[in-house]
């Protein structure tokens, strides 16, 4: 109670110095906000603390009552740091020829060994992040072009795939990208690509990441709209001034458009990175969470989920969650640190 | 004052709701915690009061048995049992499959597990490893005759926990084959009796082993130009028919057919071991897909619609398929297309010359913490005995006891009238995998998942260094087993 009495809500205002009316108001305020506080404690703070504590225990549901819970210190973290399923680096292999009908023919193929789950996420991010930012930006620039006839129709057309149910889209793409019967490979073969060289898409460790990125392209409509809104907010007088100064389109883009929409790009980047670390649903639906092919789609978040709910190893799952938290924290800090250098907030000193 | 009273009442209501939410449900049985802990030996010596029936709970849901029509028959079985005597009351508890694992976990953790669980396969059994009662003492005490079953089926139910089950419903494996494709290739059919040899077209006899399967498999693998895999100019990129498919057999199952089980993958300290049989099985499989003369469909081919989208034998484009009796469920397209299959015996491991079969099995388990083991065993004997005719029929399984099998085989013959003999299936009962390839291993689900990743890699990537990948698997399993 003494702590509460000395608590200062605002600079120079302590509980003791508050008028009875102000105290009453404060109590009522606390009462009204208490559902949120209780919810925040019960569903956010306590689970987070519990997760941290679990990571130092050996809770496995499959052990049932036969193996009592015990404190294991940093054992789970030691296990994690030697877990190839998390850290294994991918290895690229290229073959240039194949024996067909007794003859060696030029037939290049790139293969990759399945990486650990953290690398799965990072490699996928290397494909997905640029596509998730650049493609919507380019589309938004096109949609914003005054010379484009039927802009609204195009905007609707590019947005429409976003509203297609995700599972339906996965099945459609699955058919199109089937290595044997999909029209994409058939078209490639018509163009002269040997059958042995056509991508095996979702069946191949190397090609599965581009496959997932292609499947995700239908979801960029939302990012495109946000970019478009950003573009439409750029004051036209800036372009006029640039034109008077003799700037080319490219120079206008880099010196006017990009800085003005950089907060929107930053926002999309943050969303994409958060989405990347939470990437889960596509591998769960496409491959029932098995990690096919050969563990190449065992995304970190999927591995974490499986450890909790399939392998029932609560403590190791908690350890994975804690490490993921640190990784996301690190990436976010880096991102915000670099944002000062390239994100421009007009009329705001940062 | 009024406001303070309001605040006080509001706080009390909130506290009451919180306590209400956290507290036990009023319907929860109060005596749950008084039951013996799962690790304790059951109180077998405490006889029930003579006037009161002992209640035995039969938990259904970890495997089959949850369909409405199955429930009706199970209820009949329970009613028959209850009507037959006055000491035990059998109570059926059916939990939907999706919720069964969690429900049983909760019951066991609360010390209130059921007395009997089943029908359950290895998957459900392994999930509750350490919770099953060793029946050896009860079998000895009651003089229960286990010789009525094939010995290998009884042995198959022996795990590290002891004799945890009795044979009930079984699904032996056999080599399914398409005679028309053999005729087309001018090949003799595979043997339908264990011990027989395979006769090559030139009359030479070869042991019916996996090497012979590979040899004739290559002759039965055909490209779009009609050339088989041994002929010059064979185009592996346009295969239209394969010689062999391990139909819906996981990488661990393949190991079972070569003679190793799950228990061979770790030692007493949980160090990972890759048994020689596993290496042999996987080398055979990898070479069959990616070797110079392939005879097994790779991932892309077997997943393609033309090859049945994974159900390759059903597409009629595989000459031989190694699978289990349950596969007769899934041959609709095959039958509709006018194809016919026959059954041959399983091939031997060429390294030891022995046949190592696999039998998938459903059975019943008794929970270690049951307070009434004798009565529960009596019920179990009833379920695998007199009740088997009704139960095996609704579960679609072959009864383990030979004397109960006629009706099931008759129904299969009616379904597939072209099958001339089901003997290879029945003979397969003598080749159950002991220890089972689906048996328990530490951190089983994750270990299986990791082994499956290797299986998938073998299926989809012919450029891997298999030896290095197997070593990598061993290292990963070593970590997984010790988690």
């Amino acid at each position: 109670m003494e702590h509460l009495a000395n608590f200062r809500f605002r600079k120079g205002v302590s509980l003791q110095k508050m008028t009875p009316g102000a105290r009453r108001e404060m109590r009522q305020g606390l009462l009204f906000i208490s559902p949120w506080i209780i919810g925040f404690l019960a569903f956010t703070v306590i689970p987070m603390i519990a997760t941290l504590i679990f990571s130092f225990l050996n809770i496995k549901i499959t052990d049932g009552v036969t193996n009592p819970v015990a404190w294991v210190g940093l054992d789970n973290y030691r296990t994690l740091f030697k877990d190839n399923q998390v850290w294994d680096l991918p290895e690229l292999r290229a073959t240039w020829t194949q024996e067909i009908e007794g003859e060696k023919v030029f037939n290049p193929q790139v293969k990759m060994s399945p990486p650990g789950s953290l690398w799965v996420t990072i490699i996928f991010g290397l494909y997905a992040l640029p596509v998730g930012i650049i493609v919507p930006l380019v589309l938004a620039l096109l949609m914003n072009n005054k010379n484009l006839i039927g802009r609204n129709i195009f905007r609707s057309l590019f947005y429409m795939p976003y509203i297609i149910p995700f599972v339906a889209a996965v099945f459609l793409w699955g058919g199109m990208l089937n290595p044997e019967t999909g029209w994409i490979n058939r078209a490639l073969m018509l163009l002269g690509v040997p059958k042995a060289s056509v991508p095996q898409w979702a069946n191949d460790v190397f090609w599965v990441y581009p496959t997932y990125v292609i499947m995700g392209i239908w979801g960029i409509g939302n990012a495109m709209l946000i970019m478009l809104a950003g573009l439409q907010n750029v004051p036209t007088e800036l372009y006029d001034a640039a034109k008077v100064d003799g700037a080319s389109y490219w120079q206008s883009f880099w010196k006017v458009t990009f800085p003005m929409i950089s907060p929107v790009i930053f926002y999309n980047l943050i969303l994409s990175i958060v989405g990347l670390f939470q990437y889960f649903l596509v591998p769960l639906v496409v491959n029932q969470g098995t990690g096919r092919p050969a563990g190449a789609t065992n995304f970190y978040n999927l591995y974490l989920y499986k450890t909790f709910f399939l392998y029932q190893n609560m403590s190791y799952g908690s350890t994975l969650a804690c490490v993921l938290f640190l990784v996301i924290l690190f990436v976010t800090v880096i991102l915000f640190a670099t944002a000062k250098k390239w994100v421009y907030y007009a009329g705001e000193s940062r | 004052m009024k406001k303070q009273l309001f605040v006080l009442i509001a706080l009390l209501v909130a506290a009451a709701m919180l306590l209400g939410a956290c507290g036990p449900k009023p319907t929860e049985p109060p005596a749950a915690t008084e039951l013996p802990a799962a690790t304790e030996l059951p109180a077998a010596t405490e006889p029930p009061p003579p006037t009161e029936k002992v209640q035995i709970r039969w938990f259904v849901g970890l495997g089959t048995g949850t369909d409405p029509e199955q429930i009706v028959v199970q209820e009949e079985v329970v009613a028959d049992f209850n009507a037959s005597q006055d000491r035990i009351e059998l109570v059926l508890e059916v939990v939907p499959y999706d919720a069964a694992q969690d429900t049983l976990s909760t019951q066991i953790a609360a010390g209130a597990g059921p007395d009997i669980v089943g029908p359950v396969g290895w998957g459900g059994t392994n999930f509750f490893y350490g919770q099953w009662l060793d029946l050896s003492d009860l079998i000895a005490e009651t003089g229960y005759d286990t010789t009525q079953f094939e010995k290998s089926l009884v042995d198959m139910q022996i795990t590290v926990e002891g004799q945890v089950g009795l044979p009930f419903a079984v699904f032996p494996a056999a080599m399914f084959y398409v005679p028309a494709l053999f005729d087309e290739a001018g090949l003799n059919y595979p043997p339908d009796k264990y011990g027989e040899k395979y006769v090559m077209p030139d009359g030479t006899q070869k042991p019916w082993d996996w090497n012979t399967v590979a040899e004739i498999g290559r002759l039965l693998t055909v490209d779009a130009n009609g050339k088989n895999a041994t002929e010059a100019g064979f185009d592996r990129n346009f295969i239209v028919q394969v010689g062999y498919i391990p139909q819906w057999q996981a990488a661990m199952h393949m190991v079972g057919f070569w003679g190793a089980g799950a228990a061979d993958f770790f030692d007493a300290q949980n160090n990972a071991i890759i048994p020689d049989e596993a290496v042999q099985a996987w080398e055979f499989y990898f070479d069959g897909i990616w070797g110079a003369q392939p005879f097994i469909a790779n991932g892309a081919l077997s997943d393609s619609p033309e090859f049945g989208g994974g159900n390759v034998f059903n597409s009629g484009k595989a000459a031989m398929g190694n699978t289990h009796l349950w596969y007769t469920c899934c041959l609709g397209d095959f039958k509709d297309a006018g194809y016919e299959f026959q059954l041959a015996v399983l091939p031997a491991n060429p390294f030891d010359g022995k046949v190592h079969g696999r039998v998938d099995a459903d059975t019943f388990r008794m929970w270690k913490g049951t307070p009434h083991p004798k009565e529960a065993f009596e019920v179990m004997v009833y379920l695998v005995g007199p009740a088997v005719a009704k139960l095996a029929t609704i579960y679609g399984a072959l009864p383990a006891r030979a004397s109960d099998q006629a009706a099931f085989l008759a129904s299969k013959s009616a379904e597939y009238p072209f099958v001339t003999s089901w003997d290879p299936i029945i003979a397969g009962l003598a080749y159950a995998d002991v220890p089972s390839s689906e048996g328990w291993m530490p951190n089983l689900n994750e270990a299986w998942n990791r082994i499956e990743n290797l299986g998938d890699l073998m299926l989809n990537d012919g450029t891997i260094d298999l030896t290095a990948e197997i070593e990598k698997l061993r290292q990963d399993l070593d970590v997984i087993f010790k988690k």
Side-chain angles (χ1 to χ4, degrees), chain B residues 57-114:
Chain B
R57 292 163 55 210
W58 171 20
F59 183 98
V60 176
L62 280 186
T64 187
T66 56
D67 290 344
E69 59 272 25
Q70 292 176 321
I71 294 171
V72 170
V73 177
Q74 286 164 171
E75 282 168 345
E76 269 175 36
V77 165
V78 169
D80 291 350
F81 178 81
N82 287 339
S84 71
Q85 47 80 50
D86 55 5
R87 286 185 310 107
I88 304 168
E89 184 193 1
L90 181 58
V91 179
L92 179 68
E93 287 179 15
V94 182
V95 178
Y97 178 78
D98 290 341
Q101 203 161 286
D102 289 343
T103 307
L104 189 57
S105 298
T106 311
Q107 288 186 1
I108 288 175

Side-chain angles (χ1 to χ4, degrees), chain A residues 18-313:
Chain A
M18 287 171 87
T19 62
R23 280 190 206 172
R24 196 168 55 242
E25 275 183 16
M26 186 204 72
R27 275 193 229 107
Q28 286 171 357
L30 282 175
L31 181 68
F32 280 113
I33 206 174
S34 61
W36 179 84
I37 292 174
I38 291 168
F40 180 66
L41 288 172
F43 300 116
T44 306
V45 176
I46 294 172
M48 279 177 75
I49 295 168
T51 303
L52 183 66
I53 295 169
F54 281 8
S55 70
F56 299 109
L57 302 174
N58 68 340
I59 307 169
K60 277 190 213 168
I61 288 182
T62 43
D63 283 351
V65 292
T66 57
N67 193 4
V69 174
W71 183 265
V72 294
L74 291 170
D75 279 5
N76 287 317
Y77 288 91
R78 283 190 204 101
T79 305
L80 193 150
F81 285 109
K82 60 182 181 185
D83 189 347
N84 287 342
Q85 292 190 90
V86 174
W87 306 106
D88 231 9
L89 276 165
E91 187 188 307
L92 279 171
R93 295 183 300 274
T95 54
W96 303 105
T97 56
Q98 193 202 9
E99 203 169 295
I100 294 176
E101 299 189 11
E103 282 180 29
K104 278 200 171 178
V105 295
F106 179 68
N107 195 3
Q109 282 189 44
V110 182
K111 294 283 179 185
M112 188 165 76
S113 65
S117 58
L118 192 63
W119 287 105
V120 167
T121 307
I122 291 170
I123 293 168
F124 176 71
L126 291 177
Y127 290 101
L129 285 180
V131 173
I133 300 295
I134 294 168
V135 175
L137 178 61
V138 171
L139 284 177
L141 285 168
L142 287 170
M143 296 303 115
N144 199 39
N145 195 313
K146 279 181 283 185
N147 300 321
L148 181 70
I149 301 163
R151 277 193 294 179
N152 288 338
I153 294 170
F154 279 110
R155 283 173 193 177
S156 305
L157 282 176
F158 278 105
Y159 187 77
M160 268 165 65
Y162 183 71
I163 59 173
I164 288 178
F166 160 73
V167 175
V170 164
F171 278 109
L172 277 171
W173 278 108
M176 288 193 271
L177 293 167
N178 185 297
E180 290 287 321
T181 55
W183 66 260
I184 294 179
N185 272 10
R186 293 203 168 175
L188 288 173
M189 284 190 273
L190 280 176
L191 291 171
V193 180
K195 192 181 177 193
S197 290
V198 291
Q200 294 300 300
W201 301 114
N203 284 7
D204 187 285
V205 175
F206 179 77
W207 283 103
V208 72
Y209 305 112
T211 304
Y212 278 19
V213 171
I214 291 169
M215 284 180 176
I217 279 181
W218 275 7
I220 61 171
N222 197 42
M224 182 200 75
L225 271 196
I226 294 169
M227 297 274 194
L228 189 60
L231 286 172
Q232 287 173 343
N233 279 335
V234 180
T236 49
E237 55 266 30
L238 293 179
Y239 292 115
D240 296 337
K243 203 182 265 179
V244 169
D245 289 346
S248 65
Y249 176 82
W250 197 237
Q251 282 171 321
S252 288
F253 175 78
W254 279 115
K255 303 291 180 187
V256 178
T257 313
F258 188 80
M260 292 305 288
I261 63 162
S262 58
V264 177
I265 294 174
F266 183 63
Y267 170 75
N268 270 326
L269 187 63
I270 293 281
L271 283 189
S272 301
I273 287 176
V274 169
L276 172 68
F277 282 106
Q278 292 181 345
Y279 198 69
F280 172 73
L281 210 52
V282 175
L284 190 74
V285 171
V286 175
N287 297 313
Q288 295 83 44
T290 56
R292 285 193 72 195
T297 57
N298 203 16
F299 286 81
Y300 192 93
N301 209 24
L302 184 66
Y303 184 44
L304 188 155
Y305 165 81
K306 279 160 57 179
T307 302
F308 269 115
F309 300 108
L310 183 64
Y311 312 149
Q312 310 261 328
N313 191 337

Side-chain angles (χ1 to χ4, degrees), chain B residues 58-283:
Chain B
W58 171 20
F59 183 98
V60 176
L62 280 186
T64 187
T66 56
D67 290 344
E69 59 272 25
Q70 292 176 321
I71 294 171
V72 170
V73 177
Q74 286 164 171
E75 282 168 345
E76 269 175 36
V77 165
V78 169
D80 291 350
F81 178 81
N82 287 339
S84 71
Q85 47 80 50
D86 55 5
R87 286 185 310 107
I88 304 168
E89 184 193 1
L90 181 58
V91 179
L92 179 68
E93 287 179 15
V94 182
V95 178
Y97 178 78
D98 290 341
Q101 203 161 286
D102 289 343
T103 307
L104 189 57
S105 298
T106 311
Q107 288 186 1
I108 288 175
D115 303 278
I116 291 177
V117 177
V120 59
W122 282 110
T125 295
N126 291 329
F127 190 83
F128 293 96
Y129 173 78
Q131 296 297 329
W132 308 122
L133 185 69
D134 181 1
L135 306 177
S136 308
D137 289 347
L138 289 162
I139 290 170
E141 205 177 307
T142 58
Y144 183 72
D145 178 20
T146 55
T147 60
Q148 59 188 305
F149 302 106
E150 185 72 57
K151 186 180 179 302
S152 71
L153 297 181
V154 179
D155 291 347
M156 197 176 69
Q157 299 295 338
I158 299 173
T159 70
V160 186
E161 296 174 275
Q163 178 81 49
V164 289
L166 296 170
F168 168 65
V170 288
F171 303 92
M175 185 69 86
F176 289 54
Y177 69 93
V178 183
L181 300 181
F182 276 74
D183 294 341
E184 208 173 277
L187 290 168
N188 293 307
Y189 302 146
D192 60 1
K193 286 186 181 60
Y194 283 99
E196 283 184 355
K197 293 197 167 183
Y198 182 77
V199 183
M200 295 300 286
D202 62 3
T204 56
Q205 293 200 343
K206 298 219 164 180
W208 180 236
D209 60 20
W210 288 109
N211 284 344
T212 308
V213 170
E215 194 173 339
I216 61 171
R218 290 178 185 119
L219 297 168
L220 289 158
T221 301
V222 181
D223 71 6
N225 300 318
K227 289 183 174 170
N228 73 48
T230 65
E231 289 178 288
F234 169 77
D235 188 349
R236 64 184 309 142
N237 296 314
F238 288 93
I239 292 173
V240 295
Q241 174 189 307
V242 289
Y244 168 72
I245 194 80
Q247 188 59 60
W248 287 336
Q249 300 297 323
M252 267 305 285
H253 294 143
M254 294 174 201
V255 172
F257 286 109
W258 285 68
D264 298 317
F265 276 72
F266 58 95
D267 65 14
Q269 283 75 44
N270 284 357
N271 295 309
I273 301 162
I274 304 293
D276 290 345
E277 293 85 351
V279 177
Q280 292 157 6
W282 294 334
E283 281 176 349

Side-chain angles (χ1 to χ4, degrees), chain B residues 397-446:
Chain B
L398 177 71
R401 196 177 10 234
S403 56
D404 300 321
Q405 291 166 353
F408 179 85
L409 292 175
S411 73
K412 284 291 154 199
S413 294
E415 195 179 352
Y416 297 101
F418 49 76
V419 175
T420 53
S421 170
W422 294 89
D423 289 351
I425 284 279
I426 302 302
L429 290 172
Y431 298 94
D433 42 339
V434 183
S436 171
S437 56
E438 286 190 352
W440 181 83
M441 55 173 84
N443 216 346
L444 178 87
N445 285 339
E446 190 171 359

